[in-house]
Amino acid sequence: MSIYDITIIGAGPAGMYAAFYAGLRNAKTKIIDTLPQLGGQLATLYPEKYIYDIPGFPKIKASKLVENLEKQLRTFPHSYALGEEVLQIQSQEECIEIITDKDVHFSKAVILALGNGPFQPRKLQVSQAERFEENGIDYFIPDLMKYAGKKVAIAGGGDSAVDWALMLEPIAKEVSLIHRRAEFRAHEYSVEKLKSSSVNILTPYIISEVNGEEQLESLSLRHAKSNEQVEVSVDHLIVNYGFTSSLKVNNWGVESTRQGIYVSSDMKTSMDGVYACGDVSLYDGKIDLIATGFGEAPTAVNNALHFIDPKKRTQPIHSTSLYK
């Protein structure tokens, strides 16, 4: 039986950085994730999307960020158990037992970097919408050049919808952004860029019908207040209504809600030896940003190692510190 110092459950950005940092602390580390590859939602859902909240990068594509994190991570000979779903965590006398749908793993400490749990896109609830999936209606964008020279509509009002509209503007023939409210929920800076762009802003409109033969050809829109009807010719509709997710941690022994797992200031959960970082962690004032998760990861690792060996320095010396 091989017992690891730290096992990280979740291989999104926060989990990947936690694993790298654990390597810096010379911890024997394993990563478990339900997906078959590293990167979490960034790799699966948003590989072509620009990320704007990473320190040191004015903007960086999600796929490039994952690539950089993986390159950083490969500095250390960690073990990986990808494509495995964790079913249960049990505290034993000498270690923590992690039961998956394929194996049983053992670790002295565990860091939960689950994001928001398994995810599915919120789909367009309009008659015939399902018929046009993969034939004009998309929920994921693996390749931006798919839309080169095409008429593209984007449905949504958050950061991702606005970002996609701005990214597609120089690539597509025409871009329309459809939102059921007059105001967008995106960052103010992005909204200002949107308003000064050539993107056709259609607010407040609701998609009432999708039309076409084999391929999507047009959208019927209804004004949210006046019920005025508008027809928009499109080749593609990108639906960006967000994603539904559910944390299946009820029998893991950690205090949690549907939104995440409660942690204290040292990122410790209610279960001894189990810590959390990234979007899954809950505490007063928490802001869900990738940058936040990057900051929480070293805190979780350092305190997990202190739990394993209380004689260990909880906070290591800064790599930038100079001593005479």
Side-chain angles (χ1 to χ4, degrees), residues 63-79:
S63 58
K64 184 62 177 178
L65 177 60
V66 171
E67 179 186 330
N68 288 351
L69 286 166
E70 188 168 359
K71 185 182 297 184
Q72 187 181 45
L73 184 54
R74 299 293 182 186
T75 306
F76 305 104
H78 294 331
S79 296

PDB file of all heavy atoms in Angstrom, residues 63-79:
ATOM      1  N   SER A  63      -6.296  27.773 -22.910  1.00  0.00           N
ATOM      2  CA  SER A  63      -5.472  26.628 -23.296  1.00  0.00           C
ATOM      3  C   SER A  63      -3.999  26.878 -23.007  1.00  0.00           C
ATOM      4  O   SER A  63      -3.267  25.972 -22.598  1.00  0.00           O
ATOM      5  CB  SER A  63      -5.670  26.307 -24.777  1.00  0.00           C
ATOM      6  OG  SER A  63      -5.351  27.422 -25.584  1.00  0.00           O
ATOM      7  N   LYS A  64      -3.531  28.117 -23.207  1.00  0.00           N
ATOM      8  CA  LYS A  64      -2.142  28.456 -22.939  1.00  0.00           C
ATOM      9  C   LYS A  64      -1.863  28.461 -21.451  1.00  0.00           C
ATOM     10  O   LYS A  64      -0.793  28.013 -21.007  1.00  0.00           O
ATOM     11  CB  LYS A  64      -1.815  29.827 -23.543  1.00  0.00           C
ATOM     12  CG  LYS A  64      -0.346  30.237 -23.401  1.00  0.00           C
ATOM     13  CD  LYS A  64       0.565  29.263 -24.139  1.00  0.00           C
ATOM     14  CE  LYS A  64       2.020  29.713 -24.052  1.00  0.00           C
ATOM     15  NZ  LYS A  64       2.937  28.752 -24.730  1.00  0.00           N
ATOM     16  N   LEU A  65      -2.820  28.950 -20.658  1.00  0.00           N
ATOM     17  CA  LEU A  65      -2.657  28.931 -19.205  1.00  0.00           C
ATOM     18  C   LEU A  65      -2.531  27.497 -18.712  1.00  0.00           C
ATOM     19  O   LEU A  65      -1.653  27.182 -17.896  1.00  0.00           O
ATOM     20  CB  LEU A  65      -3.840  29.623 -18.534  1.00  0.00           C
ATOM     21  CG  LEU A  65      -3.839  29.619 -17.002  1.00  0.00           C
ATOM     22  CD1 LEU A  65      -2.608  30.309 -16.449  1.00  0.00           C
ATOM     23  CD2 LEU A  65      -5.108  30.282 -16.461  1.00  0.00           C
ATOM     24  N   VAL A  66      -3.397  26.607 -19.211  1.00  0.00           N
ATOM     25  CA  VAL A  66      -3.329  25.199 -18.820  1.00  0.00           C
ATOM     26  C   VAL A  66      -1.993  24.604 -19.256  1.00  0.00           C
ATOM     27  O   VAL A  66      -1.352  23.850 -18.506  1.00  0.00           O
ATOM     28  CB  VAL A  66      -4.502  24.405 -19.420  1.00  0.00           C
ATOM     29  CG1 VAL A  66      -4.311  22.901 -19.202  1.00  0.00           C
ATOM     30  CG2 VAL A  66      -5.823  24.858 -18.805  1.00  0.00           C
ATOM     31  N   GLU A  67      -1.560  24.930 -20.458  1.00  0.00           N
ATOM     32  CA  GLU A  67      -0.270  24.436 -20.960  1.00  0.00           C
ATOM     33  C   GLU A  67       0.877  24.886 -20.052  1.00  0.00           C
ATOM     34  O   GLU A  67       1.765  24.096 -19.710  1.00  0.00           O
ATOM     35  CB  GLU A  67      -0.044  24.952 -22.381  1.00  0.00           C
ATOM     36  CG  GLU A  67       1.272  24.521 -23.014  1.00  0.00           C
ATOM     37  CD  GLU A  67       1.504  25.170 -24.359  1.00  0.00           C
ATOM     38  OE1 GLU A  67       0.503  25.470 -25.068  1.00  0.00           O
ATOM     39  OE2 GLU A  67       2.681  25.408 -24.717  1.00  0.00           O
ATOM     40  N   ASN A  68       0.850  26.156 -19.637  1.00  0.00           N
ATOM     41  CA  ASN A  68       1.895  26.668 -18.753  1.00  0.00           C
ATOM     42  C   ASN A  68       1.856  25.985 -17.390  1.00  0.00           C
ATOM     43  O   ASN A  68       2.898  25.642 -16.808  1.00  0.00           O
ATOM     44  CB  ASN A  68       1.734  28.179 -18.574  1.00  0.00           C
ATOM     45  CG  ASN A  68       2.107  28.960 -19.813  1.00  0.00           C
ATOM     46  OD1 ASN A  68       2.642  28.405 -20.770  1.00  0.00           O
ATOM     47  ND2 ASN A  68       1.815  30.254 -19.805  1.00  0.00           N
ATOM     48  N   LEU A  69       0.643  25.797 -16.852  1.00  0.00           N
ATOM     49  CA  LEU A  69       0.503  25.122 -15.558  1.00  0.00           C
ATOM     50  C   LEU A  69       1.000  23.682 -15.637  1.00  0.00           C
ATOM     51  O   LEU A  69       1.647  23.181 -14.702  1.00  0.00           O
ATOM     52  CB  LEU A  69      -0.964  25.152 -15.116  1.00  0.00           C
ATOM     53  CG  LEU A  69      -1.501  26.483 -14.607  1.00  0.00           C
ATOM     54  CD1 LEU A  69      -3.024  26.452 -14.535  1.00  0.00           C
ATOM     55  CD2 LEU A  69      -0.925  26.819 -13.236  1.00  0.00           C
ATOM     56  N   GLU A  70       0.699  23.013 -16.754  1.00  0.00           N
ATOM     57  CA  GLU A  70       1.143  21.623 -16.912  1.00  0.00           C
ATOM     58  C   GLU A  70       2.655  21.548 -17.025  1.00  0.00           C
ATOM     59  O   GLU A  70       3.289  20.659 -16.447  1.00  0.00           O
ATOM     60  CB  GLU A  70       0.480  21.005 -18.143  1.00  0.00           C
ATOM     61  CG  GLU A  70       0.743  19.519 -18.273  1.00  0.00           C
ATOM     62  CD  GLU A  70      -0.146  18.859 -19.309  1.00  0.00           C
ATOM     63  OE1 GLU A  70      -0.984  19.548 -19.925  1.00  0.00           O
ATOM     64  OE2 GLU A  70       0.008  17.630 -19.493  1.00  0.00           O
ATOM     65  N   LYS A  71       3.242  22.478 -17.759  1.00  0.00           N
ATOM     66  CA  LYS A  71       4.708  22.509 -17.888  1.00  0.00           C
ATOM     67  C   LYS A  71       5.346  22.737 -16.518  1.00  0.00           C
ATOM     68  O   LYS A  71       6.343  22.101 -16.160  1.00  0.00           O
ATOM     69  CB  LYS A  71       5.111  23.620 -18.850  1.00  0.00           C
ATOM     70  CG  LYS A  71       6.600  23.667 -19.165  1.00  0.00           C
ATOM     71  CD  LYS A  71       6.924  24.828 -20.085  1.00  0.00           C
ATOM     72  CE  LYS A  71       6.254  24.703 -21.431  1.00  0.00           C
ATOM     73  NZ  LYS A  71       6.659  25.800 -22.352  1.00  0.00           N
ATOM     74  N   GLN A  72       4.772  23.650 -15.744  1.00  0.00           N
ATOM     75  CA  GLN A  72       5.246  23.923 -14.395  1.00  0.00           C
ATOM     76  C   GLN A  72       5.106  22.690 -13.510  1.00  0.00           C
ATOM     77  O   GLN A  72       6.016  22.332 -12.755  1.00  0.00           O
ATOM     78  CB  GLN A  72       4.447  25.092 -13.823  1.00  0.00           C
ATOM     79  CG  GLN A  72       4.908  25.622 -12.486  1.00  0.00           C
ATOM     80  CD  GLN A  72       4.022  26.756 -12.015  1.00  0.00           C
ATOM     81  OE1 GLN A  72       2.791  26.661 -12.095  1.00  0.00           O
ATOM     82  NE2 GLN A  72       4.613  27.831 -11.528  1.00  0.00           N
ATOM     83  N   LEU A  73       3.970  22.024 -13.649  1.00  0.00           N
ATOM     84  CA  LEU A  73       3.659  20.852 -12.827  1.00  0.00           C
ATOM     85  C   LEU A  73       4.603  19.686 -13.108  1.00  0.00           C
ATOM     86  O   LEU A  73       4.991  18.935 -12.204  1.00  0.00           O
ATOM     87  CB  LEU A  73       2.215  20.442 -13.092  1.00  0.00           C
ATOM     88  CG  LEU A  73       1.604  19.295 -12.305  1.00  0.00           C
ATOM     89  CD1 LEU A  73       1.735  19.524 -10.814  1.00  0.00           C
ATOM     90  CD2 LEU A  73       0.148  19.124 -12.699  1.00  0.00           C
ATOM     91  N   ARG A  74       4.989  19.522 -14.379  1.00  0.00           N
ATOM     92  CA  ARG A  74       5.834  18.393 -14.769  1.00  0.00           C
ATOM     93  C   ARG A  74       7.258  18.517 -14.228  1.00  0.00           C
ATOM     94  O   ARG A  74       8.082  17.632 -14.447  1.00  0.00           O
ATOM     95  CB  ARG A  74       5.884  18.275 -16.294  1.00  0.00           C
ATOM     96  CG  ARG A  74       4.520  18.016 -16.951  1.00  0.00           C
ATOM     97  CD  ARG A  74       3.941  16.675 -16.613  1.00  0.00           C
ATOM     98  NE  ARG A  74       2.661  16.445 -17.307  1.00  0.00           N
ATOM     99  CZ  ARG A  74       1.872  15.407 -17.111  1.00  0.00           C
ATOM    100  NH1 ARG A  74       2.217  14.490 -16.224  1.00  0.00           N
ATOM    101  NH2 ARG A  74       0.734  15.283 -17.769  1.00  0.00           N
ATOM    102  N   THR A  75       7.548  19.611 -13.507  1.00  0.00           N
ATOM    103  CA  THR A  75       8.844  19.748 -12.839  1.00  0.00           C
ATOM    104  C   THR A  75       9.055  18.612 -11.855  1.00  0.00           C
ATOM    105  O   THR A  75      10.192  18.203 -11.592  1.00  0.00           O
ATOM    106  CB  THR A  75       8.915  21.099 -12.083  1.00  0.00           C
ATOM    107  OG1 THR A  75       8.616  22.157 -12.987  1.00  0.00           O
ATOM    108  CG2 THR A  75      10.297  21.322 -11.478  1.00  0.00           C
ATOM    109  N   PHE A  76       7.955  18.082 -11.334  1.00  0.00           N
ATOM    110  CA  PHE A  76       8.026  17.078 -10.281  1.00  0.00           C
ATOM    111  C   PHE A  76       7.381  15.765 -10.742  1.00  0.00           C
ATOM    112  O   PHE A  76       6.423  15.778 -11.526  1.00  0.00           O
ATOM    113  CB  PHE A  76       7.331  17.585  -9.020  1.00  0.00           C
ATOM    114  CG  PHE A  76       7.879  18.903  -8.549  1.00  0.00           C
ATOM    115  CD1 PHE A  76       7.161  20.082  -8.754  1.00  0.00           C
ATOM    116  CD2 PHE A  76       9.108  18.975  -7.919  1.00  0.00           C
ATOM    117  CE1 PHE A  76       7.669  21.305  -8.331  1.00  0.00           C
ATOM    118  CE2 PHE A  76       9.626  20.194  -7.498  1.00  0.00           C
ATOM    119  CZ  PHE A  76       8.910  21.361  -7.708  1.00  0.00           C
ATOM    120  N   PRO A  77       7.886  14.631 -10.256  1.00  0.00           N
ATOM    121  CA  PRO A  77       7.374  13.311 -10.683  1.00  0.00           C
ATOM    122  C   PRO A  77       6.124  12.894  -9.924  1.00  0.00           C
ATOM    123  O   PRO A  77       6.088  11.851  -9.262  1.00  0.00           O
ATOM    124  CB  PRO A  77       8.553  12.383 -10.372  1.00  0.00           C
ATOM    125  CG  PRO A  77       9.191  13.008  -9.164  1.00  0.00           C
ATOM    126  CD  PRO A  77       9.049  14.491  -9.341  1.00  0.00           C
ATOM    127  N   HIS A  78       5.062  13.699 -10.009  1.00  0.00           N
ATOM    128  CA  HIS A  78       3.827  13.368  -9.314  1.00  0.00           C
ATOM    129  C   HIS A  78       3.134  12.178  -9.976  1.00  0.00           C
ATOM    130  O   HIS A  78       3.401  11.833 -11.133  1.00  0.00           O
ATOM    131  CB  HIS A  78       2.876  14.567  -9.313  1.00  0.00           C
ATOM    132  CG  HIS A  78       3.369  15.736  -8.512  1.00  0.00           C
ATOM    133  ND1 HIS A  78       4.194  15.607  -7.419  1.00  0.00           N
ATOM    134  CD2 HIS A  78       3.138  17.081  -8.633  1.00  0.00           C
ATOM    135  CE1 HIS A  78       4.450  16.792  -6.904  1.00  0.00           C
ATOM    136  NE2 HIS A  78       3.827  17.704  -7.624  1.00  0.00           N
ATOM    137  N   SER A  79       2.214  11.580  -9.238  1.00  0.00           N
ATOM    138  CA  SER A  79       1.388  10.492  -9.764  1.00  0.00           C
ATOM    139  C   SER A  79       0.017  11.042 -10.142  1.00  0.00           C
ATOM    140  O   SER A  79      -0.474  11.999  -9.526  1.00  0.00           O
ATOM    141  CB  SER A  79       1.234   9.379  -8.719  1.00  0.00           C
ATOM    142  OG  SER A  79       2.488   8.790  -8.433  1.00  0.00           O
TER     143      SER A  79
END
